[in-house]
Amino acid sequence: MTFLAQTADVQPDCGTLVELAGRAPIAVFRLGDEFFATDDTCTHGAASLCDGEIFDGQVECPFHGGTFDIRTGAATTFPCTKPLAVYPVVVENGRIYARLDSEDGG
Ligand code: FES
């Protein structure tokens, strides 16, 4: 598992950008008391979804207004059609971890 952020650092109104060595950045989102980790880069272009607005469990891309479901990564508004990668998250003692695609266990 990869440490992403402290729960206290993730606010409900915007994504928290996590830069990691050797891979594209991750966005950590908070919906109520739940945390979610997705790719930060929009699947339609080079936008950071952490710069987008969050409403109804969705994040709106700041470039062209496409949206994704934060829980599932599904593309929900045109021009986004390709789903966003979502990673399994574990929260322990106020720390958020995710199993990223380069990890096969642990
Ligand atoms: S870059 Fe995100 S909708 Fe176009």
Side-chain angles (χ1 to χ4, degrees), residues 42 44-47 61 63-66 79-80:
C42 183
H44 179 253
C61 177
F63 274 19
H64 311 112
C80 299

Side-chain angles (χ1 to χ4, degrees), residues 31-43:
L31 298 176
D33 291 332
E34 288 186 280
F35 295 88
F36 300 89
T38 73
D39 279 342
D40 176 61
T41 306
C42 183
T43 61

Side-chain angles (χ1 to χ4, degrees), residues 48-103:
S48 168
L49 295 175
C50 285
D51 292 336
E53 294 200 19
I54 296 172
F55 56 91
D56 293 340
Q58 307 195 38
V59 59
E60 182 180 67
C61 177
F63 274 19
H64 311 112
T67 60
F68 298 94
D69 186 303
I70 289 170
R71 290 179 174 85
T72 67
T76 47
T77 302
F78 189 79
C80 299
T81 54
K82 187 166 177 263
L84 197 62
V86 177
Y87 303 99
V89 162
V90 171
V91 179
E92 276 180 11
N93 300 322
R95 293 165 65 86
I96 304 165
Y97 300 85
R99 178 167 295 141
L100 303 178
D101 43 14
S102 57
E103 301 172 314

